[in-house]
Amino acid sequence: MSLKALDYESLNENVKNCQYAVRGELYLRASELQKEGKKIIFTNVGNPHALGQKPLTFPRQVVALCQAPFLLDNPNVGMIFPADAIARAKHYLSLTSGGLGAYSDSRGLPGVRKEVAEFIERRDGYPSDPELIFLTDGASKGVMQILNCIIRDQKDGILVPVPQYPLYSATISLLGGTLVPYYLEETDNWGLDVNNLRQSVAQARSQGITVRAMVIINPGNPTGQCLSEANLREILRFCCDESLVLLGDEVYQQNIYQDEHPFISSKKVLMDMGAPISKEVQLISFHTVSKGYWGECGQRGGYFEMTNIPPRTAEEIYKVASIALSPNVSAQIFMGLMVSPPKPGDISYDQFVRERYVSTLNIHALMKDQDLRTSMENFINSKGILESLRRRARIMTDGFNSCKNVVCNFTEGAMYSFPQIKLPSKAIQAAKQAGKVPDVFYCLKLLEATGISTVPGSGFGQKEGVFHLRTTILPAEEEMPEIMGSFKKFNDEFMSQYGDNFGYSRM
Amino acid sequence: MSLKALDYESLNENVKNCQYAVRGELYLRASELQKEGKKIIFTNVGNPHALGQKPLTFPRQVVALCQAPFLLDNPNVGMIFPADAIARAKHYLSLTSGGLGAYSDSRGLPGVRKEVAEFIERRDGYPSDPELIFLTDGASKGVMQILNCIIRDQKDGILVPVPQYPLYSATISLLGGTLVPYYLEETDNWGLDVNNLRQSVAQARSQGITVRAMVIINPGNPTGQCLSEANLREILRFCCDESLVLLGDEVYQQNIYQDEHPFISSKKVLMDMGAPISKEVQLISFHTVSKGYWGECGQRGGYFEMTNIPPRTAEEIYKVASIALSPNVSAQIFMGLMVSPPKPGDISYDQFVRERYVSTLNIHALMKDQDLRTSMENFINSKGILESLRRRARIMTDGFNSCKNVVCNFTEGAMYSFPQIKLPSKAIQAAKQAGKVPDVFYCLKLLEATGISTVPGSGFGQKEGVFHLRTTILPAEEEMPEIMGSFKKFNDEFMSQYGDNFGYSRM
């Protein structure tokens, strides 16, 4: 019997080579255990609504009305929808050419792209052109589109931080390119040293690789750090010197848990640097409705903004986007709503602010926004939930650090904690015998013992002989102590089973 | 100044090489004219809601409630939503793990995949396994995923009909594979001759191409024919003999405008053929919520079903789907609703049937379904809109055939009319001088003169020296005579300007 194209042996090797650990072996095993009736705490993926976060009411009202536009003619509609949601639904419907059931332009609705440009202008203080903003089915799809334009063959390299979010490694594999790693310094709070970058590029070039682009994830995933303005300047200067496209993954820009290191966009820093550099560096910045206090992952909405990209290239990206016709229209409206939320004085403003506060992961923005602070004061005082997420990040970091074989940097931003687990050589040996990577072995044991579903550090990349796991900080605050207690109990038992005097994996 | 990765000259050549005519030069020019205030009739893409088709109420009610689940607790909800829509919304929310804002499994919600499997079982009379059904952001994304698994390099060939829907040519270019054309016979109502297939495969092999898969589009796009059962058997036998994966693009399965050639699924024919063939041929079938009487293009919902695909391959496809996390969840619910619409006795059933009838493109299914016929009788008689779409297909075909230099097969299914335009040599000459392909030249002139936005046949492929255009049959019936009159007037003027005695393009 001859081999067929969809027999495993015969598949595109790039497909087989790509790894995507966030939904890999650990996730599959967790799903099995859940089917068998075990209670699983899914901390493998930043999926806030799945962990109990409630959607914001106002945007959901607007999109519900857009889905059911006939309600706008119903005399009772005012009994269950506020007037400003009704007005907004009419506004967004007027931007479509046939409601949510019609394909939009392949770049997204022009009216929404205009709202995104206005948001970027307010955020950065520099003009933004709607023609250079493309809406996408989530940020991941945008990243994939851009990498597809950049990667020509295996000789093309993309600089990616290690550890990294495996979207990058998986997509580069899928497209047949080469990942050029640059290491973040765990002992320096996951800082980025430009000398490391230079070394990585020099080494890649000595192997015949053309380094074409550099990825930064800011705030970091899985590492949780916020890049400083000085660091961003160094990176941009480096990209300029080396003619690299900078891909700025800024999907966690609203998820900041401290005040010392605020989020600053790559676009703003680039513009601040002035000509010639501000006119030279090709920058693509990505954002999403899936993170922040929205957490609307399942809607699949995102955008990218292009800076210093030639018009003919933008046309090519447009053409490729056209093949799949258009991003889904309801998520485009979520994006519009995210970048132009209710304003003070709007009927829904107070409720929006209250809910944003409850579900917020964005304590930092709240602290800076005097409007919000004032209107939230009573609520904050009465409910006492101030800084719940900061506290969760803190409980988790402290919990990990209370185990003598675990070290963990504090989560400054994003949604993740990324502790290093020092594994005894006996455990590494046992993992080898079981045919598992050591951190996969550890995470599987953790899952079986406690139901906590994490992602092994090897899925993100780590230095040789060093092991981590990634967990989200999203479980409810009241469940945190129990979860961390359960982790510590497991880890102690693991260490008493495998601990030995023969040494540990290195820090 | 050195070249940067996103400079046009430096882009991935596969990106630059791909063509997507449906939103190509004609569409861009039409958009410009629209901005300048000209009335444009967009018949370039099957986008029914953009041309005035109203969405079905019941599914929109259900999805609106899923978007705004807090309405389910509102005591007034029953005043604007019927009880069965409320019950269905609760049902679908119970299938999610956090509502529409949570990522689903990367293959889609298990509960919806089960409903799709039940639909396929009812349609074909054979079992269908939900584990082998993947939900996608529209059918196009599914096609792209599967072709990505199949195409390894430029030596891998995919058999594609000519004319074809350019999703296939564009995706094959993008993935760096080779399109192996097989020609449909215009003079035989766009029939498919298996001898042509054999010739195409033999020729490709002689050039060192490994033919890996075959695409059929049934009903045809842009050609509008329905494949007969006998023809499908021949195709399946051919795929079995040649070890080809069959990709069955069946997105127009509800769009049938005559009774002689009903739609029959590839899966059913394969199963009818029995072992060994029914256990041998690797088949992927695609469907969508964008077509039929739903026309929910902007929601981006689709599925594919895999038959005879090894589990390890299914795992690889699952892994690649995971990179973009999950298809959008609200479109998954539209898919669930499409495959399990209201039943007789449900509160919303009569309204659903009435609306389905009004917006239906699926006259054939209606005629066969005794339930529907009975419940529709009065409505049909009173409104007299029976067979509006059949009539539109007829008006269009007749209108084209009334021009002496145009010939056009009747649209049996799908949404398109694909007339051949015989162009005089003087017009071909003028096109050459303007640097345009002759049918692009003709379609641009048509657009400028009448506002009718079509797609040139060259975007779909056609035999050397033969020219077509594609238009949808979707404009409102009452506007059809005017549109066709306007076409005829333009064509007459074009012919009097360019007509000559030196001959025509060949038929």
Side-chain angles (χ1 to χ4, degrees):
Chain A
M1 201 56 63
S2 70
L3 218 51
K4 293 170 215 134
L6 287 174
D7 287 336
Y8 178 80
E9 296 72 15
S10 164
L11 294 179
N12 178 355
E13 290 295 326
N14 289 340
V15 164
K16 288 193 269 188
N17 288 341
C18 79
Q19 300 293 330
Y20 191 70
V22 175
R23 296 204 161 185
E25 181 177 1
L26 260 289
Y27 171 75
L28 296 174
R29 179 69 188 131
S31 302
E32 275 173 29
L33 288 171
Q34 190 180 39
K35 265 194 192 160
E36 291 164 16
K38 188 171 173 76
K39 191 198 160 199
I40 302 295
I41 303 154
F42 281 103
T43 72
N44 60 304
V45 55
N47 193 5
H49 291 211
L51 293 175
Q53 182 175 313
K54 294 269 170 297
L56 298 168
T57 303
F58 180 75
R60 290 296 193 98
Q61 287 170 327
V62 174
V63 173
L65 284 165
C66 290
Q67 283 287 12
F70 40 82
L71 293 181
L72 298 170
D73 303 324
N74 187 311
N76 297 317
V77 67
M79 297 181 67
I80 65 175
F81 290 96
D84 54 352
I86 293 171
R88 271 299 193 93
K90 287 180 181 167
H91 162 69
Y92 284 114
L93 287 171
S94 79
L95 300 181
T96 69
S97 58
L100 303 197
Y103 296 124
S104 71
D105 185 279
S106 304
R107 296 167 297 186
L109 296 165
V112 171
R113 286 153 55 213
K114 182 164 165 282
E115 293 179 353
V116 171
E118 288 159 0
F119 156 78
I120 294 172
E121 283 180 22
R122 285 194 307 274
R123 186 193 66 188
D124 294 341
Y126 291 101
S128 169
D129 181 355
E131 293 296 304
L132 297 174
I133 292 166
F134 280 31
L135 305 183
T136 53
D137 284 310
S140 302
K141 286 285 169 63
V143 169
M144 295 169 93
Q145 280 173 33
I146 298 298
L147 285 175
N148 193 19
C149 290
I150 294 176
I151 295 174
R152 298 165 302 187
D153 58 40
Q154 65 195 33
K155 291 286 176 197
D156 278 348
I158 311 292
L159 274 168
V160 173
V162 175
Q164 52 107 29
Y165 176 56
L167 163 66
Y168 295 96
S169 49
T171 304
I172 293 167
S173 288
L174 197 60
L175 295 169
T178 295
L179 186 149
V180 179
Y182 65 92
Y183 289 91
L184 302 175
E185 284 304 326
E186 185 163 14
T187 51
D188 188 26
N189 194 30
W190 297 115
L192 189 168
D193 182 343
V194 175
N195 291 322
N196 282 353
L197 280 179
R198 274 186 237 287
Q199 274 177 20
S200 295
V201 170
Q203 200 186 336
R205 285 187 181 149
S206 75
Q207 292 162 357
I209 303 296
T210 308
V211 182
R212 304 256 289 166
M214 171 175 177
V215 173
I216 55 173
I217 309 174
N218 181 33
N221 175 6
T223 42
Q225 84 286 18
C226 292
L227 295 177
S228 68
E229 186 172 345
N231 215 176
L232 284 164
R233 282 171 173 268
E234 286 182 303
I235 292 165
L236 284 159
R237 195 172 302 281
F238 176 76
C239 288
C240 187
D241 292 346
E242 305 290 342
S243 292
L244 300 180
V245 175
L246 183 64
L247 307 186
D249 179 337
E250 301 180 335
V251 299
Y252 293 101
Q253 62 188 265
Q254 295 173 316
N255 297 83
I256 307 295
Y257 308 114
Q258 39 71 50
D259 302 317
E260 296 73 28
H261 298 135
F263 166 77
I264 312 166
S265 78
S266 307
K267 168 94 180 289
K268 175 173 167 46
V269 175
L270 178 60
M271 292 298 113
D272 282 348
M273 289 172 86
I277 212 168
S278 64
K279 297 194 183 303
E280 277 299 322
V281 177
Q282 296 185 335
L283 168 68
I284 317 276
S285 309
F286 301 90
H287 200 7
T288 183
V289 300
S290 301
K291 310 300 172 190
Y293 44 87
W294 289 65
E296 291 280 9
C297 303
Q299 311 284 355
R300 312 310 297 119
Y303 77 73
F304 58 83
E305 184 196 22
M306 301 182 280
T307 306
N308 296 324
I309 303 300
R312 283 188 75 188
T313 296
E315 278 168 31
E316 292 296 311
I317 299 171
Y318 186 11
K319 179 185 72 183
V320 172
S322 299
I323 301 173
L325 294 159
S326 79
N328 90 77
V329 179
S330 68
Q332 296 183 39
I333 291 172
F334 274 102
M335 182 56 84
L337 288 158
M338 184 175 97
V339 296
S340 56
K343 292 183 184 55
D346 290 354
I347 300 165
S348 297
Y349 179 72
D350 287 346
Q351 184 189 13
F352 182 81
V353 170
R354 208 161 54 238
E355 291 179 348
R356 177 160 89 159
Y357 189 76
V358 172
S359 64
T360 197
L361 303 171
N362 184 5
I363 310 299
H364 183 76
L366 260 182
M367 298 302 289
K368 284 198 144 174
D369 183 331
Q370 192 57 45
D371 260 353
L372 290 185
R373 284 179 73 167
T374 311
S375 83
M376 286 302 301
E377 215 86 62
N378 289 336
F379 181 75
I380 291 167
N381 291 340
S382 69
K383 298 284 179 183
I385 52 164
L386 178 65
E387 296 187 333
S388 163
L389 260 137
R390 282 187 190 215
R391 283 200 307 260
R392 287 189 241 180
R394 179 50 67 197
I395 295 169
M396 212 161 224
T397 309
D398 291 349
F400 285 129
N401 283 321
S402 75
C403 305
K404 69 174 181 181
N405 62 318
V406 181
V407 281
C408 184
N409 284 316
F410 177 67
T411 304
E412 294 182 345
M415 291 181 175
Y416 310 100
S417 189
F418 194 65
Q420 182 185 151
I421 317 287
K422 297 186 208 180
L423 294 178
S425 52
K426 208 168 139 190
I428 295 172
Q429 211 52 41
K432 205 171 171 184
Q433 271 161 27
K436 305 280 180 202
V437 176
D439 55 8
V440 173
F441 180 78
Y442 180 90
C443 290
L444 278 170
K445 294 270 180 201
L446 172 65
L447 171 66
E448 305 276 349
T450 64
I452 302 172
S453 166
T454 60
V455 187
S458 49
F460 305 93
Q462 50 201 355
K463 288 186 177 166
E464 183 73 26
V466 180
F467 305 105
H468 298 81
L469 60 80
R470 189 190 80 167
T471 163
T472 66
I473 60 165
L474 297 178
E477 189 180 344
E478 58 274 23
E479 292 173 16
M480 272 288 180
E482 193 189 326
I483 292 172
M484 293 316 292
S486 163
F487 171 81
K488 193 171 166 50
K489 181 162 169 289
F490 158 78
N491 183 68
D492 286 349
E493 285 166 12
F494 183 93
M495 291 305 288
S496 66
Q497 185 178 354
Y498 295 104
D500 56 33
N501 298 318
F502 306 122
Y504 289 80
S505 61
R506 72 186 169 89
M507 168 67 200
Chain B
M1 202 55 61
S2 70
L3 217 51
K4 293 169 218 136
L6 286 175
D7 287 337
Y8 177 80
E9 296 72 16
S10 166
L11 294 179
N12 178 355
E13 289 295 327
N14 289 340
V15 164
K16 287 193 269 188
N17 289 340
C18 79
Q19 300 294 330
Y20 191 70
V22 174
R23 294 200 164 190
E25 182 177 0
L26 260 288
Y27 171 75
L28 296 175
R29 179 69 187 132
S31 302
E32 273 173 28
L33 288 172
Q34 191 181 38
K35 265 193 193 160
E36 291 165 15
K38 188 170 173 76
K39 191 196 162 199
I40 301 296
I41 303 154
F42 280 102
T43 71
N44 60 305
V45 55
N47 193 5
H49 291 212
L51 293 175
Q53 183 176 314
K54 293 269 171 293
L56 298 168
T57 303
F58 180 76
R60 290 297 193 98
Q61 287 169 327
V62 174
V63 173
L65 285 165
C66 290
Q67 284 287 14
F70 41 81
L71 293 182
L72 297 170
D73 303 324
N74 187 312
N76 297 318
V77 67
M79 295 180 68
I80 66 175
F81 289 96
D84 54 351
I86 293 170
R88 271 302 192 92
K90 288 178 180 168
H91 162 70
Y92 284 114
L93 286 172
S94 79
L95 301 180
T96 69
S97 59
L100 303 197
Y103 295 124
S104 71
D105 186 277
S106 304
R107 296 166 297 186
L109 296 165
V112 171
R113 286 152 55 212
K114 184 164 163 282
E115 293 179 355
V116 171
E118 288 160 1
F119 156 77
I120 293 172
E121 283 179 24
R122 286 194 306 274
R123 185 193 66 189
D124 295 340
Y126 291 101
S128 169
D129 180 355
E131 293 295 304
L132 298 175
I133 292 166
F134 281 30
L135 305 182
T136 53
D137 284 310
S140 302
K141 286 285 169 67
V143 168
M144 295 169 94
Q145 279 171 35
I146 298 298
L147 285 174
N148 193 18
C149 290
I150 294 176
I151 295 173
R152 297 166 303 186
D153 56 39
Q154 66 197 32
K155 291 285 176 198
D156 279 349
I158 311 292
L159 275 168
V160 173
V162 174
Q164 52 110 28
Y165 175 56
L167 163 66
Y168 295 96
S169 50
T171 304
I172 293 167
S173 288
L174 197 60
L175 295 168
T178 295
L179 186 150
V180 179
Y182 65 91
Y183 288 91
L184 301 176
E185 284 304 327
E186 183 163 14
T187 50
D188 188 24
N189 195 29
W190 298 114
L192 189 169
D193 183 343
V194 175
N195 291 323
N196 282 353
L197 281 179
R198 276 187 236 285
Q199 274 177 20
S200 295
V201 170
Q203 199 185 338
R205 286 186 181 148
S206 75
Q207 292 161 358
I209 303 295
T210 308
V211 182
R212 304 257 287 165
M214 170 174 176
V215 173
I216 55 174
I217 308 174
N218 180 35
N221 175 6
T223 43
Q225 84 287 20
C226 293
L227 294 176
S228 68
E229 187 172 348
N231 214 178
L232 283 165
R233 282 172 175 266
E234 285 182 302
I235 292 165
L236 285 159
R237 196 171 302 279
F238 176 76
C239 288
C240 188
D241 293 346
E242 305 290 343
S243 292
L244 300 180
V245 175
L246 184 64
L247 306 186
D249 178 337
E250 302 180 336
V251 298
Y252 293 102
Q253 61 188 267
Q254 295 174 317
N255 297 83
I256 308 294
Y257 308 114
Q258 39 71 48
D259 302 317
E260 296 73 28
H261 298 135
F263 166 77
I264 313 167
S265 79
S266 307
K267 168 95 180 288
K268 176 174 166 46
V269 175
L270 179 60
M271 293 298 115
D272 282 348
M273 290 172 86
I277 213 167
S278 64
K279 296 191 183 304
E280 278 299 324
V281 177
Q282 296 185 335
L283 168 68
I284 315 275
S285 308
F286 301 89
H287 199 9
T288 184
V289 300
S290 301
K291 310 300 173 190
Y293 44 87
W294 289 65
E296 291 279 9
C297 302
Q299 312 284 354
R300 311 312 294 120
Y303 77 74
F304 59 84
E305 184 196 23
M306 301 181 280
T307 306
N308 297 323
I309 303 301
R312 285 188 74 188
T313 295
E315 279 168 30
E316 292 296 311
I317 300 172
Y318 186 10
K319 180 184 73 183
V320 172
S322 299
I323 301 173
L325 294 159
S326 79
N328 90 77
V329 179
S330 69
Q332 297 182 39
I333 291 172
F334 274 103
M335 182 56 84
L337 287 158
M338 185 176 97
V339 297
S340 55
K343 290 182 185 55
D346 290 355
I347 299 167
S348 297
Y349 179 73
D350 286 347
Q351 185 189 11
F352 182 80
V353 170
R354 206 161 55 238
E355 292 178 348
R356 177 159 88 160
Y357 188 76
V358 172
S359 64
T360 199
L361 303 173
N362 184 6
I363 311 301
H364 183 77
L366 261 183
M367 299 302 289
K368 284 198 145 173
D369 183 332
Q370 192 57 46
D371 261 353
L372 289 185
R373 282 179 74 167
T374 311
S375 85
M376 284 304 302
E377 215 86 62
N378 290 335
F379 181 76
I380 291 167
N381 290 340
S382 69
K383 297 284 179 184
I385 53 167
L386 180 66
E387 296 188 331
S388 163
L389 260 136
R390 284 188 188 212
R391 284 201 304 260
R392 285 189 242 180
R394 179 51 64 198
I395 294 169
M396 212 160 223
T397 310
D398 291 349
F400 285 129
N401 283 321
S402 76
C403 304
K404 69 174 183 183
N405 63 317
V406 181
V407 280
C408 185
N409 284 316
F410 178 67
T411 304
E412 294 182 345
M415 291 182 175
Y416 309 100
S417 189
F418 195 65
Q420 182 184 150
I421 317 288
K422 298 186 208 179
L423 294 178
S425 51
K426 207 167 139 192
I428 295 172
Q429 210 52 40
K432 206 170 168 183
Q433 271 161 25
K436 305 278 179 203
V437 177
D439 54 9
V440 173
F441 180 78
Y442 180 89
C443 290
L444 277 171
K445 294 269 180 202
L446 172 65
L447 172 67
E448 305 277 350
T450 65
I452 301 172
S453 166
T454 60
V455 187
S458 49
F460 306 93
Q462 50 202 354
K463 288 186 177 166
E464 182 73 26
V466 179
F467 304 105
H468 298 82
L469 60 81
R470 188 189 81 166
T471 164
T472 67
I473 59 165
L474 296 178
E477 188 179 346
E478 59 273 24
E479 292 173 16
M480 272 288 183
E482 193 189 325
I483 291 172
M484 294 315 295
S486 163
F487 170 80
K488 194 171 164 53
K489 180 160 172 286
F490 158 77
N491 183 67
D492 285 350
E493 285 167 11
F494 184 93
M495 291 304 289
S496 68
Q497 184 177 355
Y498 294 103
D500 55 32
N501 298 319
F502 308 122
Y504 289 82
S505 60
R506 72 186 168 89
M507 168 66 201

